Amino acid sequence: MTSQHESAPALPEKHYLSGAWSPQDWLLTKDHKRIGILYLVGISIFFALGGLMAVLIRMELATPSGDLMPADVYNRVFTMHGVLMVFFFLIPSIPAVLGNFLLPIMIGAKDLAFPKINLLSWYIYMIGGAMTFYGLLVGGIDTGWTFYTPLSSGYATGPVLTVAVGVFIAGFSSILTGLNFIVTIHRMRAPGLTWFRLPLFVWGHYATSIIQILGTPVVAITILLVGAERLFHIGVFDPKIGGDPILFQHLFWFYSHPAVYIMILPSMGVVSEIIAAFSRKKVFGYKFVAFASIGIAVLGFLVWGHHMFTSGQSLYAGAVFSFITMLVAVPSAIKVFNWTATLYKGAIAWDTPLLYALGFIGLFTIGGLTGVMLGTLGFDLHVHDTYFVVAHFHYVMVGGAILGFLGGLHYWWPKITGKLYNEFWSKISAGIIFIGFNLTFFPQFILGYLGMPRRYHSYPEEFQVLNILSSAGASILGIGFVIPVIYLLASLANKRYAGNNPWGAVGLEWQIPSPPPTENFETPPVVTDEPYTYPQPDEKEAPVGV
Amino acid sequence: MSVHVAPLKTYIYVFLALMFFTVLTVGVAFVNFAHHAPKGIGNVLNDAVAMSIALTKAVLVVAFFMHVKGSTKITPVVIWGTLIFMVILFVFTGADYLTRPMTTFVPVMSQ
Ligand SMILES: [Cu+2]
């Protein structure tokens, strides 16, 4: 390893960012680290666009009357919010940025198994995103992110096919990423890095990849069927020509429920890494946490009917789906309990990544438990299509997936850029995000329980107080998202170098320089340790006696 | 990657088998099995015959032309895994369609 004075870390002489910077050096790069940065740029653009839509939604809902925009514009705004956030931010966020950057390093490899396919996946993603954005510019669509028929077929009022094809194309980037990860994890682990020595981040991504490969083709085929029905009048979803609109929901949710786990499993992987690093302990019940990821991925494919309790789906099928939905809570709870047990008696360091990880645990638990409520047939009948559902999935997706992403970004930012960010502002903004988030979405649980339906631009006056709370929270949350952009970008300009291992964490990625060299490792590493082997204070102190 | 290549003879036999099944598919299309079967399952029988021939052909193609027979153990695992998930999609969706007629909705709010 490079010898450095602990007091004054410096940038390594050569690293993956120090090479050539002409456009083709970036746009034709096969380096997984640079591709990760390309993805970071991509998802940031779509997050900003999706966020802008969220701002418009909360502005409209600050008053009971639909005064900011007419109903059909509002429908387009929340649809684009959902489409951009789900397909172009949440799904690629952690795997394509942090996974891309870290997965090869964590397993001691030079790159992913298929570097060119990795680059291809970014282009496919950007083309899909551009097409969807074009659909937004030429009028937008009002189907909701779920594209339910007949809104997307017989009663389509906008460029539905353009947007749907954009999502279809982006799906292939997700499949390719999953494929690349699975082959890489199987074939390119360093000598000595057995499956049970893999970081849990890698396990999370392995489980995610399974879903990406098995689920995404189904939603792609579904989109093709919608196209085939509209273009050739083959009866698939339209009852007039022998189809069934509920079939669309089956096919759509077969992918889209597991897709929730594409968003959350990588986040859980990030949280496992952070909790271990900042409590200086081995993750409690490592194997259970690892297998819980696989369990969630598999069970996640058996529950999709819980989105369809009120659709006309058979009650008997609904009962089965409801039962299996309860089962998903088991592996999820295993993770939450094991993280908590890891923290117990740990040497806790209250750095920003840990704040995000703790936020994740709390908010994901609320999101998950309200999911169990919604998975109950009787309760779902009461709150279906209300703000209760909106609040539930934002607790999972913002409170879970996005906090995990931000936690991971803050944890590995020094590794990715070689620079330290402003600690004061990073802690402040983590707090602002936590407060803003809860203020935005907790009132929506109450609104939904009281019966306020989702997807309307106006509402009865009695709901205004809670809606104003929510809109106020959204503006706080928005500020919380802007501050990190400022201090993270500012960190690039300063000279506070991170050194190899600013957190004192274990794991292969912390043994190489920050930023890493293009080939990651000077000499291929050999792994001899179990994961997360932190020296235990009580082991050292044991002879002193109790 | 070490690709396991079977002797040419194997491919010729498999090709001939595929040709035979193709002719058979065309042949059975002229036979209406419904005449020879108890009422009710007649049309199902026609489909079943055609589908089993198609399935046999698919297995031959996957096993020999796609080199699954003789590849590492992980390849069949991937294929079976994929098939299992397809079965999940069909069985659970089918469970809805099969039991939907049994569902009777009682109007709660009626008078
Ligand atoms: Cu679901």
Side-chain angles (χ1 to χ4, degrees):
Chain A
M1 290 295 113
T2 47
S3 61
Q4 288 178 341
H5 300 288
E6 280 213 2
S7 52
L11 276 192
E13 255 172 54
K14 280 179 81 176
H15 52 85
Y16 80 102
L17 291 169
S18 70
W21 267 68
S22 71
Q24 69 262 35
D25 289 313
W26 277 94
L27 295 175
L28 296 176
T29 181
K30 292 192 270 320
D31 182 349
H32 65 101
K33 299 182 286 301
R34 285 195 169 200
I35 297 172
I37 304 286
L38 289 178
Y39 263 114
L40 180 61
V41 173
I43 64 160
S44 302
I45 294 171
F46 290 114
F47 182 70
L49 283 171
L52 197 70
M53 300 293 154
V55 169
L56 292 174
I57 292 171
R58 284 319 320 171
M59 278 166 69
E60 168 65 77
L61 293 178
T63 54
S65 56
D67 36 18
L68 184 66
M69 51 189 126
D72 59 330
V73 174
Y74 179 79
N75 291 351
R76 282 166 164 71
V77 168
F78 75 69
T79 298
M80 291 317 290
H81 168 69
V83 169
L84 292 174
M85 286 301 200
V86 169
F87 295 109
F88 297 97
F89 173 74
L90 285 164
I91 286 179
S93 61
I94 296 184
V97 178
L98 298 175
N100 233 330
F101 195 100
L102 292 157
L103 195 126
I105 301 178
M106 283 183 169
I107 65 168
K110 261 198 216 152
D111 205 315
L112 287 172
F114 308 114
K116 283 183 193 163
I117 288 184
N118 194 20
L119 179 64
L120 177 68
S121 83
W122 182 75
Y123 277 99
I124 293 176
Y125 163 74
M126 290 306 283
I127 291 169
M131 201 151 166
T132 303
F133 187 60
Y134 170 77
L136 165 79
L137 288 183
V138 297
I141 60 168
D142 61 358
T143 61
W145 76 279
T146 50
F147 295 100
Y148 272 9
T149 52
L151 293 173
S152 58
S153 54
Y155 293 90
T157 59
V160 174
L161 276 189
T162 312
V163 175
V165 169
V167 170
F168 174 84
I169 293 172
F172 283 91
S173 108
S174 183
I175 295 172
L176 292 179
T177 302
L179 185 75
N180 225 334
F181 284 1
I182 286 190
V183 176
T184 306
I185 297 170
H186 271 275
R187 307 295 303 232
M188 298 178 67
R189 281 173 285 130
L193 189 53
T194 57
W195 281 89
F196 292 121
R197 284 178 179 174
L198 287 174
L200 289 162
F201 181 85
V202 176
W203 274 98
H205 276 77
Y206 188 78
T208 307
S209 304
I210 294 175
I211 303 173
Q212 286 176 308
I213 290 183
L214 288 172
T216 319
V218 176
V219 79
I221 292 166
T222 312
I223 292 172
L224 281 185
L225 287 173
V226 172
E229 184 176 81
R230 286 186 65 178
L231 297 174
F232 310 116
H233 303 285
I234 305 164
V236 187
F237 306 121
D238 184 355
K240 260 184 284 177
I241 45 178
D244 174 23
I246 297 175
L247 179 63
F248 177 89
Q249 300 185 22
H250 276 298
L251 296 174
F252 178 82
W253 288 112
F254 181 81
Y255 164 74
S256 292
H257 181 82
V260 174
Y261 301 123
I262 296 180
M263 307 170 208
I264 207 77
L265 281 168
S267 243
M268 292 171 154
V270 170
V271 170
S272 296
E273 298 300 317
I274 293 176
I275 297 274
F278 293 94
S279 57
R280 291 284 181 272
K281 276 180 71 187
K282 193 177 164 58
V283 173
F284 181 85
Y286 166 92
K287 282 190 183 176
F288 279 93
V289 179
F291 282 126
S293 291
I294 307 292
I296 289 173
V298 172
L299 280 176
F301 273 103
L302 304 171
V303 299
W304 76 83
H306 63 210
H307 296 269
M308 301 161 58
F309 289 156
T310 63
S311 69
Q313 171 185 249
S314 151
L315 274 181
Y316 301 94
V320 174
F321 281 125
S322 173
F323 173 73
I324 305 175
T325 301
M326 307 292 155
L327 293 183
V328 184
V330 176
S332 310
I334 286 176
K335 281 178 181 276
V336 170
F337 288 132
N338 284 13
W339 290 325
T340 317
T342 307
L343 289 166
Y344 179 66
K345 286 194 172 174
I348 308 281
W350 295 96
D351 290 301
T352 313
L354 185 71
L355 299 184
Y356 280 110
L358 295 178
F360 175 102
I361 296 179
L363 300 182
F364 170 75
T365 303
I366 296 177
L369 289 177
T370 50
V372 174
M373 292 166 79
L374 287 167
T376 315
L377 277 162
F379 184 75
D380 184 70
L381 237 48
H382 175 62
V383 295
H384 179 81
D385 255 349
T386 69
Y387 267 87
F388 193 91
V389 178
V390 176
H392 152 70
F393 69 73
H394 280 89
Y395 265 79
V396 176
M397 289 178 188
V398 183
I402 295 187
L403 287 202
F405 173 71
L406 288 174
L409 195 64
H410 283 83
Y411 182 45
W412 284 295
W413 184 264
K415 179 55 59 185
I416 295 172
T417 64
K419 300 291 181 64
L420 297 172
Y421 48 81
N422 185 303
E423 290 224 354
F424 173 77
W425 281 108
S426 66
K427 284 180 184 167
I428 293 286
S429 75
I432 291 178
I433 288 174
F434 186 81
I435 293 167
F437 170 80
N438 282 297
L439 191 56
T440 309
F441 292 104
F442 199 83
Q444 296 185 6
F445 278 126
I446 305 167
L447 282 169
Y449 191 77
L450 295 175
M452 177 171 163
R454 61 194 284 208
R455 296 183 167 168
Y456 287 90
H457 73 143
S458 58
Y459 54 83
E461 284 193 6
E462 71 227 52
F463 293 143
Q464 189 174 14
V465 172
L466 287 166
N467 268 296
I468 286 181
L469 281 181
S470 181
S471 292
S475 40
I476 296 174
L477 184 60
I479 292 168
F481 284 140
V482 170
I483 299 174
V485 176
I486 298 171
Y487 65 74
L488 286 178
L489 289 178
S491 78
L492 298 177
N494 73 26
K495 287 203 164 50
R496 296 180 59 223
Y497 301 117
N500 290 8
N501 193 356
W503 310 117
V506 297
L508 284 176
E509 78 269 31
W510 301 111
Q511 296 173 17
I512 59 172
S514 320
T518 303
E519 64 280 7
N520 295 344
F521 299 91
E522 274 172 42
T523 48
V526 177
V527 178
T528 52
D529 282 337
E530 299 301 307
Y532 314 114
T533 34
Y534 288 98
Q536 287 308 304
D538 45 331
E539 280 168 24
K540 274 183 260 164
E541 290 162 15
V544 181
V546 182
Chain B
M1 289 279 247
S2 63
V3 178
H4 178 92
V5 182
L8 188 63
K9 261 202 321 201
T10 314
Y11 291 116
I12 294 174
Y13 285 141
V14 173
F15 177 74
L16 289 176
L18 288 173
M19 284 298 119
F20 167 74
F21 282 120
T22 307
V23 174
L24 195 67
T25 312
V26 178
V28 295
F30 290 102
V31 185
N32 188 352
F33 291 93
H35 289 317
H36 311 282
K39 257 203 162 155
I41 65 158
N43 287 327
V44 179
L45 204 60
N46 282 333
D47 294 343
V49 170
M51 285 308 286
S52 19
I53 297 175
L55 199 67
T56 316
K57 285 163 72 182
V59 169
L60 284 175
V61 171
V62 170
F64 291 99
F65 288 159
M66 290 170 77
H67 300 286
V68 170
K69 203 170 175 295
S71 70
T72 53
K73 277 183 204 148
I74 195 82
T75 315
V77 170
V78 169
I79 291 173
W80 283 111
T82 315
L83 280 173
I84 287 169
F85 276 86
M86 204 181 77
V87 168
I88 289 172
L89 172 64
F90 279 66
V91 165
F92 278 69
T93 308
D96 170 27
Y97 286 99
L98 287 176
T99 60
R100 215 186 278 173
M102 293 155 58
T103 309
T104 43
F105 290 99
V106 183
V108 185
M109 308 285 276
S110 62
Q111 277 83 46

